[in-house]
Amino acid sequence: MNVHTFAQRKQQHQKISMVTCYDHWSAQILNTTEIDCLLVGDSLAVVMYGYESTVHATVDMMTLHVGAVARGAPDKFIVADMPFLTCSKGLGVAMDTVERLMQAGAHAVKIEGDSHQVDIIHHIVEAGVPVMGHLGLTPQSIHHLGGHRVQGKDEVNAAKIVESARRLEAAGCFSLVLECVPTVLGGCVSQALKIPTIGIGAGPQTDGQVLVLQDLLGVNPKFKPKFLRQYASGHSVVGDAVNQFHGDVVAGEFPTLAESYR
Ligand code: KIV
């Protein structure tokens, strides 16, 4: 996958699949799958570090995780999130962050919002770095948005999202994540753009779909937003395996002589 195949997929009406990936061992597994694209999302602050929001992801954190993923998934197209405020502190900070993420192994960066990002996005694209946009529910602005709410529900806000999407396309984004918007709006934005949209909670009409890996694996059984489909019972798979190991140790059944050195 590369930026050109993203565009081709849209032209040929072939959907794009993306999952988040934060670490080396899951990257090694994902490298053997048919998934199109990996996202080292700043959601790692929540999923991997237990913070309340993505605001806590730092450039150092993101860079370490991008490196771990890139070494584990050399065959995959890797997108890295630009962390909180890195595009709001001026071009210097933005470009330093882009440099670190790309040198760590990313092939593109993802940037939330469009308000003061458009010029910076244009500059990054002109510098030869592909940019994925992100509109709708933008978790870095969670405090401004007042929580995890579906965005663009009324006509005025829906029109603003379509307008923002057009601005991001004009600035040079090669694709756009649409998070938590009504199905009709997901379809509308996808039709309005030449670049592919990748939805999460944006309905079936977007040009691709993304989920957080741990969510689709069912690692946290209590996290069940409407848009999520759990493809495995990760919580019980891991819990059961560890309990079996514990039981074998306590019963003196692990290790056997065959599992020991002479
Ligand atoms: O950080 C992330 O995981 C994301 C996805 C939800 C799109 O931005």
Side-chain angles (χ1 to χ4, degrees):
M1 202 75 178
N2 58 45
V3 284
H4 304 294
T5 40
F6 269 84
Q8 279 164 14
R9 287 290 190 87
K10 173 141 185 162
Q11 284 155 16
Q12 293 164 1
H13 306 289
Q14 288 174 351
K15 299 265 185 187
I16 296 162
S17 66
M18 180 163 89
V19 282
T20 60
C21 181
Y22 313 125
D23 53 44
H24 188 70
W25 72 268
S26 63
Q28 284 181 307
I29 297 174
L30 294 173
N31 196 49
T32 67
T33 68
E34 288 169 28
I35 198 82
D36 290 319
C37 176
L38 304 183
L39 170 67
V40 185
D42 56 0
S43 52
L44 63 78
V46 179
V47 179
M48 301 293 283
Y49 291 89
Y51 286 112
E52 273 197 350
S53 78
T54 59
V55 161
H56 299 275
T58 64
V59 179
D60 285 344
M61 240 186 223
M62 292 299 299
T63 308
L64 273 176
H65 286 271
V66 168
V69 170
R71 289 187 290 277
D75 305 324
K76 294 296 178 188
F77 189 80
I78 298 169
V79 182
D81 259 329
M82 290 281 278
F84 183 55
L85 294 186
T86 47
C87 285
S88 311
K89 292 181 176 172
L91 203 52
V93 173
M95 293 314 287
D96 286 349
T97 306
V98 170
E99 184 178 22
R100 289 192 61 194
L101 295 174
M102 298 300 284
Q103 286 180 345
H107 303 113
V109 295
K110 177 163 79 60
I111 295 176
E112 289 188 12
D114 86 317
S115 48
H116 48 295
Q117 268 79 334
V118 170
D119 290 342
I120 286 178
I121 288 173
H122 185 68
H123 188 84
I124 296 171
V125 173
E126 286 295 299
V129 175
V131 177
M132 182 178 274
H134 185 157
L135 292 175
L137 175 61
T138 45
Q140 290 174 10
S141 315
I142 203 71
H143 301 294
H144 174 69
L145 297 174
H148 288 88
R149 295 155 193 263
V150 176
Q151 301 295 306
K153 277 169 106 173
D154 58 77
E155 264 183 42
V156 175
N157 284 308
K160 277 187 192 164
I161 291 177
V162 176
E163 217 18 70
S164 297
R166 287 209 171 98
R167 273 201 295 273
L168 291 179
E169 180 173 63
C173 285
F174 74 97
S175 67
L176 174 69
V177 165
L178 272 180
E179 180 164 353
C180 286
V181 297
T183 300
V184 174
L185 180 56
C188 230
V189 174
S190 306
Q191 275 189 3
L193 303 185
K194 288 202 178 67
I195 58 170
T197 56
I198 302 183
I200 174 164
Q205 292 164 23
T206 53
D207 304 303
Q209 298 290 331
V210 54
L211 284 177
V212 168
L213 179 65
Q214 283 78 354
D215 295 347
L216 80 82
L217 292 179
V219 167
N220 178 1
K222 288 187 195 142
F223 185 65
K224 279 191 175 164
K226 188 178 164 87
F227 65 78
L228 175 62
R229 187 179 297 176
Q230 290 182 346
Y231 288 84
S233 304
H235 189 271
S236 44
V237 168
V238 175
D240 290 351
V242 171
N243 276 335
Q244 275 183 40
F245 167 65
H246 171 78
D248 286 352
V249 171
V250 171
E253 288 171 7
F254 177 83
T256 61
L257 284 181
E259 289 159 330
S260 310
Y261 297 108
R262 279 204 250 169

